[in-house]
């Protein structure tokens, strides 16, 4: 796990990450492992070793040369992992010892996860420190900041996954304690103005959900206010298509109103919906993932209101460094 198999410039050729950079545009390098226990899928990048830090530097530099702002999403998969991705084949760590049920991935194959090991209370400070060190490494690599995320955090936050009876389980305050300790440690290391937080309280993926997601979301954003972090990147309810949003409109609005910093909404937006969400004050910014993956020149296409390439979900999690990542065409194929 010392290399960046999907991102190293020599594998990306002319379609390097800087093609998705625009002056003043914010890019978030998603799901970057923060320790040797963090990985949940093959061929995902990391930032816990010196070698990884050095591998990121030319990529970050390429984005900055285009005038882009680049944040690293520091991430831990928790129990959503397999024995072969863990050091010495050990059990992945989590808030619980309950395993994730097998999941059918977009490519059609079934992912079977390992039985996790419940973190001891005395071990939690070590994981908090892993987030701190990863944030420090990200700044050393040249990133402008970090976005705190990870299935592990959600496994603590959500009452369906967290069955603990110590100070990290039970009440909403206890379940969110771990995430907020991480926020504080990261801020102490790199400063609040370089920190964002990814929240998805309405998610039900990987057997991780909460009986009162609105309460989780509101508690977290109100708690984050005292730290004055830069932004909160929040995911709409799962499968947030136009139809779903019409049925449950403005689900994130209470969180947006409660949060004092920049609020980002994500989840299936297209150009028109994104413009409307910002124009109506539902969010400050809109994050794009699937459409940006399929359209490396998405800002230009939005500016021109040009047609979009259709994304192929079957290639989202493949190991090939080009297929589904660098093989989508630009408007100008000579670009």
């Amino acid at each position: 796990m010392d290399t960046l198999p999907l991102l190293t410039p020599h594998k990306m050729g002319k379609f390097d990450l800087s093609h998705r950079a625009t002056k003043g545009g914010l890019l978030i390098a998603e799901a970057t492992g923060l320790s040797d226990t963090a990985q949940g899928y093959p061929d995902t990048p990391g930032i816990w070793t010196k070698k990884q830090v050095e591998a990121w530097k030319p990529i970050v530099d390429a984005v900055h040369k285009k005038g882009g702002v680049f944040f690293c999403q520091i991430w831990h998969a928790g129990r959503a992992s397999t024995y072969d991705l863990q050091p010495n084949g050990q059990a992945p760590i989590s808030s619980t010892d309950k395993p994730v049920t097998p999941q059918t991935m977009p490519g059609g194959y079934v992912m079977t996860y390992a039985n996790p090991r419940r973190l001891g209370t005395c071990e939690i400070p070590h994981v908090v420190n892993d987030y701190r060190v990863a944030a420090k490494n990200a700044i050393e690599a040249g990133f402008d900041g970090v976005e705190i995320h990870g299935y592990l955090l959600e496994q603590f936050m959500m009452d369906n996954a967290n069955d603990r009876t110590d100070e990290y389980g039970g009440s909403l305050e206890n379940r969110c304690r771990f995430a907020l300790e991480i926020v504080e440690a990261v801020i102490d290391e790199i400063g609040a103005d370089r920190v964002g937080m990814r929240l998805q309280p309405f998610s039900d993926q990987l057997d991780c959900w909460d009986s009162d997601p609105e309460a989780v979301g509101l508690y977290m954003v109100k708690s984050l206010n005292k730290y004055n972090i830069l932004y909160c990147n929040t995911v709409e309810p799962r499968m947030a298509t136009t139809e779903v949003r019409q049925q449950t409109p403005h689900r994130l609005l209470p969180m947006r109103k409660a949060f004092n910093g920049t609020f980002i909404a994500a989840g299936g937006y297209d150009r028109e919906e994104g413009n409307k969400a910002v124009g109506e004050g539902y969010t400050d910014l809109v994050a794009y993932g699937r459409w940006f993956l399929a359209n490396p020149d998405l800002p230009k296409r939005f500016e021109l209101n040009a047609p979009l390439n259709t994304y192929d979900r079957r290639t989202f999690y493949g190991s090939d460094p080009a297929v589904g990542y660098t093989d989508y065409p630009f408007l100008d194929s000579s670009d």
Side-chain angles (χ1 to χ4, degrees):
M1 298 293 177
D2 282 340
T3 59
L4 300 170
L6 297 184
L7 298 176
T8 45
H10 75 277
K11 287 190 177 181
M12 296 172 65
K14 78 184 189 73
F15 296 102
D16 65 62
L17 195 57
S18 69
H19 279 277
R20 289 186 172 87
T22 53
K23 187 175 182 179
L26 170 62
L27 290 179
I28 303 169
E30 188 260 355
T32 303
L34 56 91
S35 73
D36 60 355
T37 68
Q39 304 300 75
Y41 301 92
D43 300 326
T44 52
I47 197 157
W48 71 88
T49 71
K50 181 68 174 178
K51 198 172 186 179
Q52 291 166 341
V53 170
E54 293 302 314
W56 274 112
K57 287 182 178 180
I59 301 168
V60 176
D61 184 57
V63 172
H64 284 159
K65 285 181 178 178
K66 289 285 188 71
V69 179
F70 204 7
F71 271 48
C72 181
Q73 186 188 88
I74 51 176
W75 175 82
H76 198 298
R79 66 177 181 168
S81 187
T82 57
Y83 294 117
D84 60 321
L85 291 174
Q86 294 297 307
N88 303 315
Q90 66 192 34
I93 59 175
S94 182
S95 63
T96 179
D97 55 10
K98 296 187 297 184
V100 181
T101 57
Q103 306 283 310
T104 301
M105 305 303 287
Y109 69 93
V110 176
M111 183 83 171
T112 301
Y113 298 95
N115 292 323
R117 178 179 67 83
R118 185 192 307 268
L119 269 173
T121 305
C122 63
E123 297 177 282
I124 289 177
H126 298 289
V127 181
V128 172
N129 189 60
D130 287 339
Y131 272 88
R132 181 194 65 79
V133 173
K136 179 181 179 180
N137 288 346
I139 299 305
E140 182 182 341
F143 283 100
D144 299 290
V146 301
E147 180 177 284
I148 300 170
H149 183 37
Y151 300 154
L152 180 61
L153 274 66
E154 294 157 12
Q155 291 156 26
F156 272 84
M157 287 183 202
M158 308 302 185
D159 59 14
N160 180 62
N162 188 334
D163 56 359
R164 304 175 72 95
T165 57
D166 59 13
E167 61 264 42
Y168 292 94
S171 69
L172 181 56
E173 179 183 2
N174 283 356
R175 287 184 278 117
C176 293
R177 187 187 308 277
F178 176 52
L180 294 173
E181 287 179 350
I182 289 169
V183 171
E184 187 168 350
V186 169
I187 286 174
D188 286 347
E189 182 64 43
I190 67 172
D193 59 340
R194 294 185 176 208
V195 177
M197 184 84 181
R198 169 87 161 191
L199 295 175
Q200 43 191 51
F202 298 98
S203 173
D204 61 358
Q205 66 179 353
L206 300 171
D207 300 340
C208 193
W209 50 269
D210 196 86
S211 59
D212 191 351
E214 287 87 356
V216 173
L218 276 174
Y219 181 86
M220 281 299 299
V221 294
K222 288 178 180 178
S223 299
L224 290 172
N225 282 338
K226 70 178 181 179
Y227 297 107
N228 295 313
I229 66 170
L230 183 62
Y231 71 79
C232 181
N233 181 7
T234 307
V235 182
E236 294 276 5
R238 186 162 174 77
M239 302 303 293
T241 60
T242 301
E243 181 181 355
V244 171
R245 278 196 291 274
Q246 289 173 347
Q247 294 171 355
T248 56
H250 308 305
R251 196 86 180 267
L252 301 182
L253 192 57
M255 293 177 64
R256 190 263 193 275
K257 289 182 175 180
F259 185 60
N260 294 338
T262 298
F263 193 81
I264 304 175
Y269 283 93
D270 59 19
R271 178 181 183 273
E272 289 71 25
E273 287 181 303
N275 286 339
K276 182 179 180 182
V278 174
E280 293 180 349
Y282 179 64
T283 187
D284 297 305
L285 299 171
V286 173
Y288 291 89
R290 289 169 283 182
W291 288 119
F292 211 172
L293 182 67
N295 297 271
D297 52 356
L298 187 68
K300 182 177 181 180
R301 289 178 188 256
F302 276 3
E303 180 183 358
L304 300 175
N305 199 17
L308 301 181
N309 300 320
T310 301
Y311 56 80
D312 184 355
R313 290 186 63 86
R314 296 172 300 175
T315 64
F316 280 2
Y317 301 99
S319 296
D320 191 291
V323 175
Y325 184 63
T326 65
D327 57 346
Y328 286 105
F330 291 77
L331 280 174
D332 179 0
S333 59
S334 64
D335 193 359

